Amino acid sequence: MSDLTPASPRGSAPFRPSTALLTDHYELTMLQATLDSGRAERRSIFEAFGRRLPAGRRYGVVAGTGRILEMLADFTFTSEELQFLESRKVVDSTTLDWLADFRFSGDIRGYAEGEVYFPGSPLLSVEATFAEAVVLETMILSALNYDSAVASAASRMSRVAGSRPCVDMGSRRTHEQSAVAAARATVVAGFTSTSNLEAGRRYGLTTVGTAAHSFTLIHDSEREAFEAQVRSLGSDTILLLDTYDVDEALTTAIEVAGTELGGVRLDSGDLGIQAAEVREKLDALGAINTRITVTSDLDEYAIAGLAAAPVDAYGVGTRVVTGSGAPTASLVYKLVAHSDDAGEWVSVQKKAAGKSSTGGMKEAARIIDGTIAVEEAIGIPRLELPDDLEARPLQVPLVTGGEIDHAYTGPEGVQRARERHAASMAELPRTAHRLQAGEPAIPTVFYSA
Amino acid sequence: MSDLTPASPRGSAPFRPSTALLTDHYELTMLQATLDSGRAERRSIFEAFGRRLPAGRRYGVVAGTGRILEMLADFTFTSEELQFLESRKVVDSTTLDWLADFRFSGDIRGYAEGEVYFPGSPLLSVEATFAEAVVLETMILSALNYDSAVASAASRMSRVAGSRPCVDMGSRRTHEQSAVAAARATVVAGFTSTSNLEAGRRYGLTTVGTAAHSFTLIHDSEREAFEAQVRSLGSDTILLLDTYDVDEALTTAIEVAGTELGGVRLDSGDLGIQAAEVREKLDALGAINTRITVTSDLDEYAIAGLAAAPVDAYGVGTRVVTGSGAPTASLVYKLVAHSDDAGEWVSVQKKAAGKSSTGGMKEAARIIDGTIAVEEAIGIPRLELPDDLEARPLQVPLVTGGEIDHAYTGPEGVQRARERHAASMAELPRTAHRLQAGEPAIPTVFYSA
């Protein structure tokens, strides 16, 4: 079985079980019914997009695209999966046979990971038979919805932190595998590193750590703990100050580590006031290069509140891995067009109240005025703009005839996405960066042929 | 490698990669520093608990315990993990040697999965050397925090739904592996089934599905779609009514499937009013046994609002997998006691502002007055109550000397947790079930020896 090959060049863990059951039951029963009705083979375009941004947000950040491509490579129904589906009578034998042969052979294009997006932006378009496109729905949405939620929150935090690094420390506050994806998404959106080791292994991210209160408490005194940490990890380490009394701890820290101490961490209390006191004392003691890291329920608002405090780095946990109030991006995956019996494309859309979508295949570009984005332009089916408008095309090919473009996967994909994000952020108007609730930073305009 | 053994009797997927890197960097550097300082071997008790419930909640629900035990079985540092740690210089060679030999050999006891909890409840207590207990921190918290957040939300929904089944359909709105854990947690907390196939395979849950709008749209007419679905899946299937016009769709549905149609689904609009109209028409057409399932951003409040509507089942998505406003349970894992050089237990706690914990090992019981819970009683280190108080002990052994009790893992564990949850819910006072924000349903009282 291909699952048993050793560590792949894309840096993932060595064992790669099938991803094909990370799927809703109805995807496979719909497959069965369309195999029966003859509609399974109709060429189809499904589109992932958001009807709106989370309340008050000015922009969203696309993330998870690379992970979708990685999971697509393992989206096969092996005997294990088929046996389960058969034993539970989820689908009939015709459908089982189809699934046994399934390898995605269609095309996927979409916004490059790290790109910013707005309501209606066609983040991912899957063009394949109905059967091939529908079975990917749940997996695509799971990855896009979670990762984009985290990246969208991380981007706001990273932006407001300015040149001060933000570090993901949220693994313990979300599902253990979400934690890996979250670490990845925060780095796409500008964080510098993560506490998560598996994310380090899988995506080549820089991993970092300080120490916990338990480390201080297991020693007979704070001094003994600091001595142990410095002796074992070097004076470049970060000592945690608030197990007992911050001021005493700081004196001890410099006595133990000297003025070359790498950093100190504050994890409670009024971080702004404490940081100022700690900075003053560090400087007075001559530890002018010792850095101050703060942690403790930080989010973009708390980070903004610390802008004037002498803080050197932010460790962010709960709020970033839960999307800072928007734990899912609420993206949907909709059939927007299919070929009819004559081979012509037909645009389709449902009419459900408050949930309508815009049918038809789409071409998207960001209109740039000088160096600033002014509009999300979406053409149906093609975007034809006047020559005097400068437009940056937004969709890139990700999978072509079933062939995955691995430039977007693994560690390389994360770096590429990080660069894309930085470039797209630089293009946004200033209003995009206001933390207050408001309208999307630029309007989305649809152009129908 | 033991990872290559076929499907285990506990029903998990066949390939089980090591879980040991689902861990924060600092757990391993703390290990290194304590191996160096000689404190690594100190007998320690770490405790997982919540300082408070999410704002306004009356109770929480413990979930993830079984998954922790499953992951513990695979928490080993194989050559793959060691190679990564070495190449990235995360820890020194002494620590790598220790990790290579690591198998958890301590004791874990805790609240049985499905149990309800309150502020300070000692949900999980790990007694082992400091080294063995500290390396499990991140994995334990990730699983407990996410799964308990979902179960706590699901319990409120399930309770307010009364005898009407709640079905988890949230897979697409959270990370693809969180989705599996979420499905499991919702069933622990009273949901009847899930759309998630992997959760069906791994935990023996019942999986269900209806159909999506794309299924209707890929056919040339709604009638053609309904005919295909009924022909392939039987008249017991559930037809989706709101792709175009609900009233027309209903007429078509009964013409196609007859009065034996299993069910219909409404996914938009004012669900209460529509359900009433649909019920009336179904009855008028003679389809008196056709059930109405509603979906569309349901949460406990929306379900409560539909109590008087003729709804037969609730499909819940986004809100349950994101904890209905509380996407993490915010549980922490703290060192509360360790042995000193003389072999005596010493209680420890940090003093950080607003984040203090209660040191010492703990014994917990729920005080019952007649059939109703009145207090969460926590003794430090032992609970000695007057004889006239009826008290139900809350902690059970989960791991003893490294041996995992598999009664709490796999499909069997889920069923056991579901029963535990139902029994504990029956014991709570009525105030526990108010949806409005308020205080914990019963007080937590600490008794020190």
Side-chain angles (χ1 to χ4, degrees), chain B residues 67-184:
Chain B
R67 293 206 311 110
I68 290 168
L69 301 184
E70 291 162 12
M71 287 194 281
L72 183 63
D74 300 320
F75 199 97
T76 55
F77 292 81
T78 73
S79 58
E80 303 280 348
E81 285 74 43
L82 297 169
Q83 202 180 322
F84 164 75
L85 295 172
E86 186 175 20
S87 70
R88 297 285 284 271
K89 298 185 174 52
V90 175
V91 287
D92 63 16
S93 61
T94 305
T95 309
L96 290 174
D97 289 345
W98 190 93
L99 292 172
D101 292 336
F102 174 69
R103 293 294 303 191
F104 182 73
S105 68
D107 299 334
I108 303 180
R109 63 191 181 121
Y111 281 36
E113 186 161 6
E115 184 58 85
V116 301
Y117 73 87
F118 300 94
S121 299
L123 304 188
L124 208 72
S125 302
V126 178
E127 182 176 337
T129 64
F130 178 82
E132 290 199 31
V134 81
V135 298
L136 301 183
E137 174 172 19
T138 311
M139 181 196 78
I140 285 175
L141 284 178
S142 290
L144 274 187
N145 270 324
Y146 180 68
D147 295 23
S148 299
V150 173
S152 298
S155 174
R156 283 158 60 89
M157 296 174 188
S158 187
R159 171 81 190 190
V160 75
S163 61
R164 297 173 178 178
C166 290
V167 179
D168 161 49
M169 298 183 173
S171 294
R172 63 190 55 199
R173 297 304 177 90
T174 188
H175 181 281
E176 68 280 359
Q177 293 289 346
S178 300
V180 182
R184 180 184 178 283

Side-chain angles (χ1 to χ4, degrees), chain A residues 146 150 174-183 321, chain B residues 146 174-175 177-178:
Chain A
Y146 181 68
V150 173
T174 187
H175 182 280
E176 68 281 357
Q177 293 291 345
S178 299
V180 183
V321 300
Chain B
Y146 180 68
T174 188
H175 181 281
Q177 293 289 346
S178 300

Side-chain angles (χ1 to χ4, degrees), chain A residues 93-176:
Chain A
S93 61
T94 306
T95 309
L96 291 173
D97 289 345
W98 189 94
L99 293 172
D101 293 335
F102 175 69
R103 294 294 300 190
F104 182 73
S105 68
D107 300 334
I108 302 180
R109 66 193 180 119
Y111 281 37
E113 185 161 6
E115 185 58 84
V116 301
Y117 73 87
F118 300 94
S121 299
L123 305 189
L124 207 73
S125 302
V126 178
E127 182 176 337
T129 63
F130 178 83
E132 290 199 30
V134 81
V135 298
L136 301 183
E137 174 172 19
T138 311
M139 180 195 77
I140 285 176
L141 284 178
S142 289
L144 274 186
N145 270 324
Y146 181 68
D147 294 24
S148 299
V150 173
S152 297
S155 174
R156 284 159 59 89
M157 296 174 188
S158 186
R159 171 81 189 189
V160 75
S163 60
R164 296 174 178 176
C166 289
V167 179
D168 161 49
M169 297 183 174
S171 295
R172 64 191 55 196
R173 298 302 177 92
T174 187
H175 182 280
E176 68 281 357

Side-chain angles (χ1 to χ4, degrees), chain A residues 24-25 88 176 178 195 205, chain B residues 24-25 67 88 178 195 205:
Chain A
D24 283 323
H25 185 110
R88 296 285 283 271
E176 68 281 357
S178 299
S195 63
L205 309 186
Chain B
D24 283 324
H25 184 111
R67 293 206 311 110
R88 297 285 284 271
S178 300
S195 63
L205 309 185

Side-chain angles (χ1 to χ4, degrees), chain A residues 1 3-4 14-15 17 21-30 32-34 36-37 39 42 44 46 67 71 80-81 84-85 88 90 130 134 137-138 141-143 145-146 171-178 180-181 195-198 200-201 204-215 217-220 224 228-229 231-233 242-244 265 267-269 296 318 322 327-328 330-332 334-335 338 341 348-353 355, chain B residues 1 3-4 14-15 17 21-30 32-34 36-37 39 42 44 46 67 71 80-81 84-85 88 90 130 134 137-138 141-143 145-146 171-178 180-181 195-198 200-201 204-215 217-220 224 228-229 231-233 242-244 265 267-269 296 318 322 327-328 330-332 334-335 338 341 348-353 355:
Chain A
M1 277 174 148
D3 294 304
L4 304 188
F15 297 106
L21 290 190
L22 298 169
T23 300
D24 283 323
H25 185 110
Y26 82 174
E27 314 291 4
L28 303 192
T29 53
M30 287 193 284
Q32 173 179 317
T34 53
D36 186 59
S37 71
R39 299 313 189 195
R42 277 192 159 170
S44 299
F46 278 82
R67 293 208 309 111
M71 287 194 282
E80 302 280 349
E81 285 74 43
F84 164 74
L85 295 172
R88 296 285 283 271
V90 175
F130 178 83
V134 81
E137 174 172 19
T138 311
L141 284 178
S142 289
N145 270 324
Y146 181 68
S171 295
R172 64 191 55 196
R173 298 302 177 92
T174 187
H175 182 280
E176 68 281 357
Q177 293 291 345
S178 299
V180 183
S195 63
N196 191 283
L197 288 172
E198 183 65 25
R201 170 161 73 169
L205 309 186
T206 303
T207 64
V208 296
T210 62
H213 295 102
S214 63
F215 178 80
L217 295 170
I218 195 64
H219 291 89
D220 285 338
E224 184 191 283
Q229 189 175 335
R231 188 171 59 240
S232 179
L233 303 170
D242 64 346
T243 304
Y244 305 109
R265 176 161 77 103
D267 184 47
S268 58
S296 189
T318 302
T322 59
T328 177
S330 295
L331 305 170
V332 295
K334 296 293 170 188
L335 179 69
H338 65 77
D341 290 340
V348 294
Q349 62 195 75
K350 66 172 174 175
K351 291 172 183 163
K355 286 186 162 184
Chain B
M1 278 174 146
D3 296 302
L4 304 188
F15 298 105
L21 290 189
L22 299 169
T23 300
D24 283 324
H25 184 111
Y26 82 173
E27 314 291 5
L28 302 192
T29 53
M30 287 193 285
Q32 173 180 316
T34 53
D36 186 59
S37 71
R39 299 314 189 196
R42 276 192 160 169
S44 299
F46 277 81
R67 293 206 311 110
M71 287 194 281
E80 303 280 348
E81 285 74 43
F84 164 75
L85 295 172
R88 297 285 284 271
V90 175
F130 178 82
V134 81
E137 174 172 19
T138 311
L141 284 178
S142 290
N145 270 324
Y146 180 68
S171 294
R172 63 190 55 199
R173 297 304 177 90
T174 188
H175 181 281
E176 68 280 359
Q177 293 289 346
S178 300
V180 182
S195 63
N196 190 284
L197 289 172
E198 183 65 25
R201 169 163 71 168
L205 309 185
T206 303
T207 65
V208 296
T210 61
H213 295 101
S214 63
F215 178 80
L217 294 170
I218 195 64
H219 291 89
D220 285 339
E224 184 191 284
Q229 188 174 335
R231 188 171 60 239
S232 180
L233 302 171
D242 66 346
T243 305
Y244 305 110
R265 176 162 77 103
D267 183 47
S268 57
S296 191
T318 303
T322 59
T328 177
S330 295
L331 305 170
V332 294
K334 296 294 171 188
L335 179 69
H338 65 75
D341 291 340
V348 294
Q349 61 195 75
K350 66 172 175 176
K351 291 172 183 162
K355 287 186 162 184

